[in-house]
Amino acid sequence: MAAKAEPVAAVDLALGALAKYERPDLEARLRQARERLLADHVRVLVVGEFKKGKSMLVNGLVGAPVCPVLDDLATAVPTVVTYAETPAATVMRVLDGAGTEAVTERTTVPLDDIARYATEQGNPGNRERLNQVEIGLPRAVLAGGLVLVDTPGVGGLSSVQASATAATLPAADAVLLVSDASQEYTGPELEFLRQAVAVCPNVACVLTKTDMYPEWRTIAELDRGHLRRAGIDAPLFTVSSTMRWHALLEKDDELRSELATDSGYAPLVGYLRKDVVGRADELARRSTVHDVLAVTDQVVAALRTEQAAQENPESVQEVIRRLTAAEQRATGLKERSARWQQTLNDGVADLNADIDYDLRDRLREIVRDAEEVIQNGGDPTRTWEQFVAWVEQCAAAAASANYVWATQRARYLAQRVAEHFDEERTHVLPALRIEPSDALRSVRAMTMRDDAESFGLGKKLMTGMKGGYMGMLMFGMLGTLVGFSLTNPIAVGAGLLMGRKAVGDERRRLITKRQNDARTALRRYVDDVTFHVGKDSRDMLRGVQRVLRDHFTAQAEQMKRSLQESLKAAETSVKATKAERDTRLAELNAELARLDKVAQQVRTLLPRGRTGAAA
């Protein structure tokens, strides 16, 4: 991770300069910044429909056949490709719990067995219950912290799988939407892009298989037109993974260069390095600069206060008065009644209510539409599988949209809370890494009762005979009153009509019963979705609340501690002799010069013209 060497060195320099001041709170903040730098990675989701070339694209980017790509293979489990010193593969499954409390089992497997775990053919329906397959490779493109995630094909971006993929968007740093040159963008693809742009900082489109379709340039222009009309600001790259692979295998330098150029991978790799990894590196540097300067500024403020008190003993009382007032304000920031605490608590309470209402409103609309389909669709058992798939798709889409909206609102709330700390300096928010929701996995399948009555040929015959017998008997008895025999033609005809009516009535009764059973199953399923998704959203918001509370409480504590140190130094200076003041002033000047040198070196992490904003 060479790109992070300079920021890590800057944090180490600041830690060394801070060691003599006995400020464990500030040292802890710098150590957290250092750990964050070493642990941070740039997560790129590669999404798209089945057989559009996602796995081949990932293989082409890393220059290795890590993702199975045969025509009869389809990705079933997210495959995460990350940097490692030696090639390795690990499968991960959640044993118990959810979110941050989940218990995950990691098992190392041979690289040659990846297809057994990651594909639909080797692991149908994800029967292994895997969360993801992780592959580590020593590749330069991954060395800067880039992590590529090959997601399962979604079989139409309005499907259940697509909605589950959309729920992972808040945890991604970038998204590559993959489609091939066989057709222009569909409505679901554009809707997915709108969701991605709303919550993800980097979104790009990749048009694959340009070697297979001569009219790929026309498709690319049509796609760009769709993006413009939809107001989606996302670049579109055209690539041929087949040419890329031939270029990697070709030994002739001239032909290899030609194939590499024609493959179209160079602009895509440049985008990932500059706009994705590069922006993440710039953000990490800016955050590092802010943390280091925020820490050194607090120490410098205390030293300058003491310096002013030592140089002008007659003004010490005014300095003490000002510091005391500032300390009281800092103490107020720590209290539960502080304005930022009120903003956070009220915001989370409002957000919980709004998100719950939004989820219930979306699901109520699904119930209304589904019940109308049941009412007008006849016997629900005939189309039950298609109906269940449609309801699950709609519920997953509603849960995904609700989760994405909750993520947006949570980030906005974090900005509102940070405004209470902006009087002194621009505040950098903590990293709100909101993990994808997995609530729908806990929802039971929508099923009807197994004891549903059948209406086969035997039952139809018995029902018809019963109705026909009653009809024939009744009209036959009436016929005897006018001299007809009991089995006259009128009685027989009436029996046939009554038998037919009895069969129809019984069929309608059974259909009505099945429709009622279908409504019950529908409401039971939607209630289960509401319960699990609502719980997951509340847990997510509680996690955001804890992160923000702990972060800003630590900032308030650091401010108070720094002011207390300054106040103590000012009070001590009153009792100092002139010789002691002169000696201390020399020490203070040397320490301030040393800290100023640290600040200047840290500011060099950012390009010229941006250090002022970071300071």
Side-chain angles (χ1 to χ4, degrees):
M1 305 284 181
K4 297 178 182 177
E6 289 185 3
V8 170
V11 174
D12 290 338
L13 180 65
L15 280 169
L18 203 67
K20 64 175 296 184
Y21 298 106
E22 298 181 357
R23 290 295 304 272
D25 55 334
L26 298 182
E27 291 179 6
R29 178 172 178 178
L30 290 179
R31 289 196 181 93
Q32 288 176 357
R34 192 180 193 279
E35 292 173 1
R36 187 172 64 246
L37 282 171
L38 295 175
D40 268 358
H41 55 263
V42 183
R43 187 179 177 89
V44 179
L45 293 184
V46 182
V47 303
E49 299 184 359
F50 280 119
K51 312 311 293 181
K52 294 296 184 179
K54 300 187 301 300
S55 298
M56 272 291 284
L57 178 69
V58 173
N59 291 348
L61 288 171
V62 300
V66 291
C67 300
V69 293
L70 297 178
D71 290 339
D72 59 343
L73 295 180
T75 304
V77 179
T79 304
V80 179
V81 185
T82 185
Y83 180 82
E85 294 292 339
T86 57
T90 306
V91 297
M92 285 173 275
R93 57 171 57 86
V94 174
L95 301 179
D96 189 22
T100 57
E101 300 178 356
V103 178
T104 304
E105 178 187 67
R106 299 174 62 92
T107 306
T108 302
V109 299
L111 278 169
D112 294 339
D113 288 350
I114 290 299
R116 174 185 167 191
Y117 300 97
T119 66
E120 186 66 32
Q121 286 68 18
N123 183 16
N126 193 15
R127 64 186 178 191
E128 298 283 346
R129 306 294 292 172
L130 300 179
N131 262 28
Q132 65 183 35
V133 175
E134 184 175 298
I135 302 172
L137 291 175
R139 289 294 185 270
V141 71
L142 304 173
L146 181 66
V147 175
L148 299 173
V149 184
D150 180 19
T151 61
V154 294
L157 283 172
S158 59
S159 65
V160 176
Q161 297 96 324
S163 299
T165 301
T168 67
L169 292 175
D173 299 290
V175 173
L176 298 181
L177 177 68
V178 180
S179 62
D180 62 29
S182 62
Q183 65 175 17
E184 57 192 288
Y185 281 143
T186 62
E189 285 175 319
L190 292 172
E191 182 59 32
F192 186 90
L193 280 170
R194 289 190 187 93
Q195 279 190 320
V197 169
V199 294
C200 191
N202 298 292
V203 177
C205 305
V206 182
L207 189 70
T208 62
K209 304 182 182 180
T210 57
D211 58 296
M212 294 179 59
Y213 299 98
E215 299 299 323
W216 64 267
R217 292 180 179 84
T218 301
I219 297 297
E221 286 304 312
L222 290 172
D223 286 345
R224 290 188 177 99
H226 289 312
L227 293 174
R228 283 194 301 270
R229 286 187 291 275
I232 299 172
D233 184 15
L236 187 144
F237 300 94
T238 56
V239 301
S240 168
S241 298
T242 302
M243 288 186 181
R244 168 71 167 179
W245 199 246
H246 285 316
L248 292 171
L249 299 176
E250 182 59 50
K251 299 185 182 300
D252 183 87
D253 292 342
E254 183 178 350
L255 182 56
R256 181 170 64 247
S257 176
E258 182 178 349
L259 287 171
T261 301
D262 292 342
S263 71
Y265 265 73
L268 177 58
V269 173
Y271 166 80
L272 291 175
R273 285 177 170 166
K274 180 180 178 182
D275 291 7
V276 178
V277 177
R279 285 185 184 178
D281 177 61
E282 182 181 335
L283 181 61
R285 288 170 176 262
R286 187 183 299 119
S287 177
T288 300
V289 170
H290 180 275
D291 283 336
V292 172
L293 293 182
V295 166
T296 56
D297 282 354
Q298 292 191 50
V299 177
V300 166
L303 295 177
R304 291 197 183 282
T305 299
E306 184 180 358
Q307 183 186 49
Q310 296 287 2
E311 290 177 344
N312 301 293
E314 64 277 1
S315 64
V316 169
Q317 295 304 321
E318 175 60 25
V319 171
I320 291 176
R321 186 193 63 78
R322 189 171 67 252
L323 289 174
T324 302
E327 183 194 8
Q328 291 174 351
R329 289 194 297 272
T331 302
L333 286 174
K334 283 186 58 183
E335 296 176 353
R336 295 178 63 88
S337 59
R339 289 182 59 198
W340 72 267
Q341 289 267 29
Q342 295 175 3
T343 300
L344 177 60
N345 294 335
D346 292 346
V348 169
D350 293 344
L351 197 50
N352 264 315
D354 291 345
I355 290 173
D356 183 68
Y357 174 83
D358 176 77
L359 176 64
R360 291 179 180 276
D361 183 61
R362 294 177 189 272
L363 294 177
R364 278 163 56 93
E365 190 64 33
I366 292 172
V367 170
R368 281 193 289 267
D369 293 342
E371 288 187 338
E372 185 175 346
V373 170
I374 292 173
Q375 181 65 35
N376 300 327
D379 188 354
T381 59
R382 294 183 178 179
T383 58
W384 183 247
E385 290 186 3
Q386 296 90 332
F387 177 75
V388 169
W390 174 71
V391 171
E392 289 179 347
Q393 171 187 319
C394 293
S400 174
N402 178 262
Y403 190 77
V404 169
W405 185 62
T407 301
Q408 292 177 278
R409 289 282 305 273
R411 291 174 177 174
Y412 172 72
L413 175 61
Q415 294 172 354
R416 285 186 54 205
V417 175
E419 291 174 359
H420 293 286
F421 287 78
D422 277 348
E423 296 178 3
E424 298 290 335
R425 59 179 65 85
T426 301
H427 199 93
V428 172
L429 290 172
L432 294 178
R433 282 277 185 180
I434 300 174
E435 293 302 318
S437 171
D438 198 25
L440 290 177
R441 181 175 291 184
S442 303
V443 177
R444 295 182 180 180
M446 186 168 63
T447 57
M448 291 178 64
R449 293 189 304 177
D450 295 333
D451 60 348
E453 298 181 50
S454 62
F455 196 50
L457 180 61
K459 190 166 185 178
K460 289 180 181 177
L461 184 60
M462 291 299 296
T463 302
M465 289 177 63
K466 184 188 298 184
Y469 173 75
M470 294 300 297
M472 189 174 66
L473 181 62
M474 180 176 62
F475 281 91
M477 293 296 293
L478 290 174
T480 59
L481 298 177
V482 293
F484 293 128
S485 65
L486 185 65
T487 57
N488 59 75
I490 296 177
V492 172
L496 292 174
L497 290 175
M498 293 291 288
R500 182 177 180 181
K501 181 178 183 304
V503 171
D505 290 344
E506 181 65 14
R507 181 185 292 111
R508 283 189 291 273
R509 185 190 71 81
L510 286 177
I511 289 176
T512 301
K513 181 177 180 299
R514 291 170 181 172
Q515 288 177 341
N516 291 334
D517 290 343
R519 291 189 186 94
T520 301
L522 168 68
R523 291 183 176 275
R524 187 165 55 240
Y525 174 79
V526 170
D527 183 66
D528 210 15
V529 171
T530 304
F531 176 77
H532 288 287
V533 175
K535 173 68 165 55
D536 194 71
S537 295
R538 289 190 294 273
D539 287 345
M540 182 269 286
L541 290 177
R542 278 196 294 269
V544 170
Q545 184 178 19
R546 292 189 188 104
V547 169
L548 295 177
R549 180 198 62 202
D550 295 344
H551 174 79
F552 290 113
T553 298
Q555 307 309 305
E557 178 64 37
Q558 292 170 16
M559 292 169 59
K560 181 182 178 182
R561 174 75 181 273
S562 298
L563 290 168
Q564 286 176 337
E565 294 287 338
S566 299
L567 186 58
K568 181 180 177 181
E571 291 172 344
T572 302
S573 67
V574 176
K575 305 174 184 178
T577 65
K578 187 175 187 309
E580 291 173 338
R581 285 199 297 270
D582 291 341
T583 302
R584 182 56 181 159
L585 277 172
E587 294 175 352
L588 290 172
N589 290 332
E591 292 177 16
L592 286 170
R594 185 164 60 93
L595 290 172
D596 184 61
K597 184 178 180 180
V598 171
Q600 289 178 5
Q601 291 186 20
V602 169
R603 287 189 176 97
T604 61
L605 290 175
L606 291 183
R608 184 175 300 175
R610 297 189 182 183
T611 54

